[in-house]
Amino acid sequence: MFVKVTASGPRRYVQLVESYRDDAGRVKKRTVATLGRMDQLAGELDSVIDGLLKVAGREPIAANAAPVLAASSLSFETARALGNVWTLTELWKELGFSDLRRVFRRTRHTIDVEALIRIMVLNRLCDPESKLGVLRWVQTVALPDVEVTELTHQQLLRSMDALMDNQDAVDGVISSLLRPLVDQDLSVAFYDMTTIRAEGLATVEGDVRQFGMAKEGLIARQFMLGVVQTSEGLPIYHEVFEGNTAETKTMLPIVKKVMQRFPHLRRLVLVADRGLLSLDNLEALQAIHLNPAKGQGSSQGQALEFIIAVPGRRYTEFADLLEDFQRKCAQSGTETTGEIAWNGLCLVVAHDPVVALEQRQKRRAKMAELEGLASGWVGKLEGQDEGVKKRGRKLSDSGTKARFYRAVCEAHFANIIKVDLKAELFSYAIDEDALRLAEMMDGKLLVVTNVQDLEPGAVIERYKSLADIERGFKVLKSELEIGPVYHRLPERIRAHASICFMALILHRVMRMRLREGQTGLTPERALQSLKRIQHHRVSINGAQPLSGVSTMTTELSQVLKALKVKTPSQTQQLSLL
């Protein structure tokens, strides 16, 4: 016997129904009693239940008491993080990354490539893992708008292959979504390169993993990554180069590709670091012109402008030009900027007396240390000649020359402390002219530019903003963990770099919005806080599970508001992989 609710038109009735078998043994049902209409029962139903409980010898329900579920009737699933992946998914769609779906829809792949690329990008921002680690990570999050129900390592690799097979179309989508974010009238683009460590000893055709000098100052197997970003810190282009590529050879190809991707720019000022300056680069950069704006009669648009720092090793080339400026600096005793004509361009010089004093004192201290070392060796050599015996190994003039020369080279003082390697006896001398030149260059920053409407101080300020791209590389290497890379195939390495580049775009957009909202949060802290928004599922008595989202706090609501992301609804459809 059981309770059944039946409908007759708009009304619903509660009936007591009994199951029985007829003469043929078939199961049938018959209504024992109709307890009444549901909308009219109200408290009468409680009295019926209490009466049945008394007959069964059980305690009746207390008046106005809420029903209590036995703990054994509830089944809870493990909660999954929602807030971080929800936020990133909303930004992904808002910025236009979902247009990648149109690119991959025309391919032969049966998997949802756009969804898998998105999963790997979100993983870089939330909990960077290897591609196998992504499979573990998706078990801990509730991914919105993902149609796949199963995920394999091979599917992730196939999606990376599809990314490279359609690289031009993918780059077109990314360029189009970035164009509204780039200022058309004055776009200052910063370009720099970094090295990314790669693991593995095997070699393949077209391998980008080559041995070269890493940024950490050691020889390592690596590839090089060039990144262009705007003055707001938004990355707009990247490219992977072989690990032993000279930096000076990478700038021109990248500049031309940036101009192709952003033809709407009416002005472009390129800012680059010291390692990218060469006379060939300067000559070629001066020949580049932007695309003319519509309606302009000339076949060429605005000339490309640039601000490029001079490498410290080349400062001596400008010694004669800096004599007058140095006298001005000595007289003022404060931070000074100036400009000097050079090869049809402008050499902008900045002098910081505090930095100059620190560098001079550091040099003098190191020179005193080296001279003290040499003095000790000279004393020991002279004592040996006089027959004085001392503890330790016996010195020779040739060995002492070699050891002292190595110490001088390691201190980068070979141009100041001259060791006479051809002399029979150990000897050295201080080149006073070289020392005076080095001290004249202390505290100096030299920048070459063809920008005509910026004061020297503004040019230096623009160049110093390049430090922000270094922070972008730091994000790539630490927060997004772009390296070390364990992929072997060149196209997989490029796909990995592309995924990290997309993650960096989302990271920078988050940073800009969090700053505008004056939250005081970094993207990392914001995503960590948003993980507290979780997705829960619970089932009662084995019935269909009920889903829900944890209660939103004021703090989390403010973070979502600053990021311009709507709050996830309680009924949001989520994929639990």
Side-chain angles (χ1 to χ4, degrees):
M1 194 173 296
F2 58 94
V3 175
K4 180 181 178 182
V5 178
T6 60
S8 177
R11 297 171 180 172
R12 304 176 69 194
Y13 297 85
V14 181
Q15 296 178 331
L16 193 61
V17 180
E18 177 186 40
S19 296
Y20 69 99
R21 293 183 181 273
D22 61 7
D23 295 336
R26 291 171 297 191
V27 176
K28 291 189 175 182
K29 298 179 179 60
R30 60 188 170 205
T31 301
V32 176
T34 298
L35 302 180
R37 282 168 45 185
M38 286 192 66
D39 58 335
Q40 294 179 347
L41 283 175
E44 288 84 358
L45 193 58
D46 290 339
S47 61
V48 173
I49 294 173
D50 285 344
L52 293 174
L53 288 173
K54 287 180 181 179
V55 172
R58 297 168 60 183
E59 291 292 329
I61 299 175
N64 300 323
V68 178
L69 292 172
S72 60
S73 67
L74 298 178
S75 176
F76 295 92
E77 293 186 6
T78 302
R80 300 193 179 203
L82 169 64
N84 51 355
V85 292
W86 165 266
T87 299
L88 292 171
T89 300
E90 290 297 302
L91 290 174
W92 176 276
K93 294 188 292 185
E94 178 196 341
L95 293 176
F97 280 104
S98 52
D99 289 344
L100 292 174
R101 189 176 297 276
R102 292 187 290 101
V103 173
F104 299 119
R105 189 176 294 154
R106 299 190 294 268
T107 67
R108 59 180 174 79
H109 294 85
T110 57
I111 57 177
D112 189 346
V113 178
E114 184 271 338
L116 297 185
I117 295 296
R118 178 171 15 120
I119 288 173
M120 288 186 282
V121 171
L122 268 56
N123 171 254
R124 287 286 117 193
L125 289 156
C126 297
D127 187 16
E129 291 268 13
S130 65
K131 302 306 176 289
L132 283 172
V134 173
L135 303 180
R136 296 187 292 269
W137 174 73
V138 295
Q139 303 295 329
T140 66
V141 296
L143 291 165
D145 304 328
V146 177
E147 298 177 359
V148 294
T149 56
E150 295 182 355
L151 191 61
T152 67
H153 183 233
Q154 284 300 314
Q155 287 176 335
L156 295 177
L157 297 180
R158 295 290 82 79
S159 65
M160 294 176 71
D161 295 340
L163 182 63
M164 289 297 99
D165 291 341
N166 300 273
Q167 185 174 16
D168 290 341
V170 170
D171 288 344
V173 169
I174 294 177
S175 298
S176 63
L177 68 89
L178 288 172
R179 284 186 194 120
L181 305 176
V182 178
D183 181 15
Q184 297 182 19
D185 295 320
L186 177 58
S187 290
V188 179
F190 298 89
Y191 174 57
D192 203 356
M193 296 194 71
T194 191
T195 57
I196 308 297
R197 293 284 296 275
E199 300 295 338
L201 299 176
T203 59
V204 296
E205 184 179 354
D207 207 336
V208 297
R209 301 171 301 165
Q210 301 292 338
F211 284 95
M213 181 62 70
K215 293 294 184 181
E216 295 79 14
L218 48 86
I219 300 295
R221 196 173 194 193
Q222 62 188 19
F223 65 89
M224 302 190 74
L225 180 68
V227 175
V228 181
Q229 75 174 24
T230 67
S231 57
E232 293 79 20
L234 182 69
I236 58 176
Y237 185 74
H238 82 286
E239 189 161 340
V240 170
F241 298 93
E242 293 183 0
N244 56 359
T245 304
E247 293 187 22
T248 54
K249 297 180 179 180
T250 66
M251 184 163 59
L252 286 176
I254 280 194
V255 169
K256 293 178 179 178
K257 289 179 181 178
V258 168
M259 291 169 52
Q260 292 172 359
R261 301 283 166 83
F262 301 94
H264 67 294
L265 296 179
R266 292 192 284 268
R267 185 180 185 187
L268 179 62
V269 180
L270 177 71
V271 184
D273 208 355
R274 298 173 170 86
L276 298 162
L277 179 69
S278 72
L279 294 178
D280 291 339
N281 273 346
L282 291 179
E283 184 178 349
L285 287 174
Q286 293 179 78
I288 297 178
H289 289 73
L290 306 182
N291 297 319
K294 292 183 178 180
Q296 290 184 352
S298 65
S299 59
Q300 291 183 323
Q302 171 75 26
L304 174 70
E305 298 168 281
F306 52 84
I307 300 173
I308 304 179
V310 178
R313 65 181 181 276
R314 297 187 57 182
Y315 277 18
T316 55
E317 299 176 21
F318 304 93
D320 295 338
L321 294 175
L322 294 176
E323 290 287 354
D324 292 338
F325 181 79
Q326 179 64 15
R327 285 191 289 271
K328 179 182 176 182
C329 295
Q331 294 171 359
S332 66
T334 59
E335 290 190 30
T336 308
T337 57
E339 54 185 351
I340 304 169
W342 175 76
N343 286 0
L345 298 170
C346 181
L347 178 68
V348 178
V349 188
H351 175 78
D352 187 333
V354 176
V355 174
L357 179 60
E358 291 175 354
Q359 292 176 342
R360 186 174 299 112
Q361 290 176 340
K362 184 177 180 181
R363 181 186 298 105
R364 291 289 186 178
K366 186 60 178 178
M367 287 180 62
E369 180 183 337
L370 289 171
E371 290 185 275
L373 181 64
S375 178
W377 286 338
V378 168
K380 190 170 182 179
L381 286 169
E382 291 177 347
Q384 288 177 177
D385 293 340
E386 296 172 359
V388 178
K389 293 184 178 181
K390 292 187 178 182
R391 296 180 63 183
R393 295 175 59 184
K394 187 177 180 180
L395 295 181
S396 66
D397 285 279
S398 59
T400 303
K401 284 187 293 184
R403 291 174 65 184
F404 188 64
Y405 180 71
R406 183 167 60 250
V408 167
C409 290
E410 289 176 352
H412 305 289
F413 285 165
N415 62 325
I416 299 175
I417 302 178
K418 303 293 185 179
V419 182
D420 191 348
L421 297 175
K422 296 181 179 179
E424 182 178 352
L425 301 178
F426 167 56
S427 64
Y428 70 93
I430 304 296
D431 188 332
E432 295 296 338
D433 290 336
L435 178 59
R436 184 185 65 83
L437 180 59
E439 292 183 345
M440 184 174 74
M441 297 303 175
D442 287 340
K444 299 282 191 306
L445 172 61
L446 276 62
V447 173
V448 175
T449 182
N450 64 344
V451 180
Q452 299 180 356
D453 60 348
L454 289 179
E455 295 295 325
V459 171
I460 296 298
E461 184 180 351
R462 290 288 189 186
Y463 171 74
K464 288 183 177 180
S465 299
L466 182 63
D468 194 51
I469 199 170
E470 292 293 342
R471 286 189 284 273
F473 283 139
K474 182 180 178 182
V475 170
L476 279 171
K477 291 185 175 182
S478 56
E479 280 78 9
L480 304 184
E481 295 187 16
I482 189 174
V485 174
Y486 295 91
H487 291 290
R488 177 175 56 89
L489 301 177
E491 294 306 296
R492 294 268 174 85
I493 292 175
R494 291 188 173 92
H496 174 73
S498 183
I499 289 169
C500 292
F501 178 74
M502 287 186 268
L504 182 59
I505 293 175
L506 291 174
H507 183 280
R508 290 302 201 178
V509 170
M510 286 186 65
R511 187 185 72 159
M512 289 189 288
R513 294 187 179 183
L514 290 170
R515 286 182 175 179
E516 291 173 0
Q518 298 181 345
T519 61
L521 295 175
T522 62
E524 293 76 29
R525 287 182 57 194
L527 290 173
Q528 191 64 31
S529 297
L530 291 169
K531 283 179 66 175
R532 289 154 46 196
I533 304 175
Q534 296 188 329
H535 178 265
H536 304 269
R537 293 215 321 184
V538 59
S539 60
I540 304 174
N541 294 326
Q544 183 70 22
L546 302 175
S547 299
V549 177
S550 56
T551 304
M552 190 74 58
T553 65
T554 303
E555 175 194 352
L556 296 176
S557 297
Q558 291 174 346
V559 174
L560 291 175
K561 182 179 179 180
L563 293 172
K564 302 177 183 178
V565 171
K566 63 181 181 182
T567 302
S569 63
Q570 291 286 332
T571 58
Q572 182 64 39
Q573 295 297 315
L574 302 168
S575 176
L576 303 182
L577 303 181

